[in-house]
Amino acid sequence: MEPDIEPWDRFRDWLHCICVVTFDLELGQALEVIYPGDAILSNTEKINICYLAFPDSNSSNARDTNFHFRIRRAISDVRGCQKSFVDKSPSSLPFDPHYLYGFVHFRQCKDATINRGYFQKSIVLMSVLPLFSLFYSVTARIAEHFFENGEAAIEAACHHIDTWQQPQVGRTIEFPLLGTLISCRLPAACDLPYEFRLDGHVEVRALLTFTPMFLHCSEETARFGEGENDVEEEEQKEDEKKKEEEEIMKNN
């Protein structure tokens, strides 16, 4: 019989926490929220995350930016499944238990309601596992829903990640996340060169079709139909015009 799994146990096999960092006029870059609520970060780790969660060079353009950083951990313990995963991974995997990786999706856009004139916020996934392709895809997906639906999207994402199976090398794993299925093959030390090249590929497939997508398709279909009718009417007019010209030539 499978032992009982504690809340957030599966989540912590993959991530340490998910943070939201915002820009405060008085405080500067500030940590707005941490999920799950019982995730432990030292004061130094929090300061480093805030400092590194925004791009070094930031223009006045409205844009989204993705990048990652690395910070030193206050503690260096790893979970059993993480150690097993690393032991079976290629030696080139840049794993170090003394560091946490931060995967960032930063958004900047103009906002007249803010004194500074810009909305600036970052979604940051923190993990001891340097799985760049996978976590870039996960971060982008969570950020997309967060900026549309608020913190509820992060809470939902945490619950989805808490259902993921443990990290396993050399096989393709599918991860449900916010209406999509992320498919990714994690590298193994025994991989052949061709198999190792496949590890950079992360596939994201939709599980749910949201209402806006249906509305968009309907609008496109309507416009396409109207275009067809316009073409038919033009062709009829041209045919009638040709017949009139032929009649005139016969009469002359």
Side-chain angles (χ1 to χ4, degrees):
M1 184 176 179
E2 186 176 347
D4 293 336
I5 300 173
E6 295 292 328
W8 307 123
D9 196 55
R10 291 285 179 83
F11 176 91
R12 292 193 174 95
D13 289 342
W14 294 94
L15 298 177
H16 183 74
C17 63
I18 301 176
C19 303
V20 179
V21 179
T22 189
F23 188 88
D24 186 281
L25 282 174
E26 297 181 358
L27 302 175
Q29 290 163 215
L31 196 58
E32 187 174 288
V33 71
I34 303 173
Y35 279 89
D38 60 351
I40 298 174
L41 290 171
S42 69
N43 288 333
T44 300
E45 288 171 336
K46 291 177 181 178
I47 292 170
N48 288 336
I49 291 171
C50 289
Y51 179 74
L52 296 169
F54 283 20
D56 289 338
S57 58
N58 188 24
S59 69
S60 59
N61 296 328
R63 58 176 182 157
D64 283 15
T65 305
N66 299 284
F67 59 95
H68 69 271
F69 60 81
R70 192 178 76 160
I71 63 171
R72 182 171 286 277
R73 300 176 68 191
I75 56 176
S76 59
D77 62 324
V78 295
R79 299 171 68 84
C81 66
Q82 293 172 340
K83 185 179 185 307
S84 176
F85 169 76
V86 172
D87 289 344
K88 298 175 183 177
S89 296
S91 58
S92 58
L93 189 74
F95 173 81
D96 188 330
H98 298 93
Y99 290 90
L100 279 172
Y101 284 86
F103 299 88
V104 184
H105 186 104
F106 167 74
R107 173 163 293 186
Q108 172 175 283
C109 55
K110 290 184 178 181
D111 190 337
T113 64
I114 300 176
N115 291 335
R116 197 162 182 257
Y118 282 90
F119 169 92
Q120 293 176 309
K121 193 164 289 193
S122 286
I123 307 300
V124 187
L125 270 63
M126 302 300 301
S127 177
V128 72
L129 299 175
L131 302 174
F132 301 101
S133 296
L134 173 61
F135 286 143
Y136 269 124
S137 296
V138 172
T139 306
R141 185 65 182 171
I142 294 174
E144 176 189 349
H145 281 263
F146 169 77
F147 289 121
E148 289 180 359
N149 305 307
E151 289 183 22
I154 297 181
E155 185 176 352
C158 288
H159 284 288
H160 289 171
I161 296 171
D162 198 39
T163 68
W164 292 4
Q165 57 184 292
Q166 293 180 338
Q168 298 180 48
V169 302
R171 55 172 296 186
T172 300
I173 308 177
E174 294 185 333
F175 309 98
L177 181 67
L178 298 174
T180 59
L181 197 63
I182 298 176
S183 178
C184 179
R185 184 183 186 279
L186 302 178
C190 60
D191 279 350
L192 297 174
Y194 176 75
E195 292 173 325
F196 188 78
R197 289 197 298 270
L198 296 177
D199 294 317
H201 176 69
V202 176
E203 181 183 355
V204 181
R205 303 195 303 276
L207 289 177
L208 301 177
T209 305
F210 298 100
T211 302
M213 294 179 67
F214 279 116
L215 292 176
H216 177 71
C217 293
S218 298
E219 290 168 0
E220 290 293 321
T221 304
R223 286 197 294 270
F224 181 74
E226 290 170 3
E228 282 187 329
N229 292 335
D230 291 342
V231 171
E232 290 177 358
E233 290 176 3
E234 289 295 329
E235 290 177 348
Q236 289 177 359
K237 289 180 181 178
E238 288 181 5
D239 290 339
E240 291 175 358
K241 188 175 180 181
K242 286 180 181 179
K243 289 179 181 178
E244 290 177 359
E245 290 176 352
E246 288 175 357
E247 289 294 333
I248 292 172
M249 290 293 292
K250 288 178 180 179
N251 293 334
N252 290 336

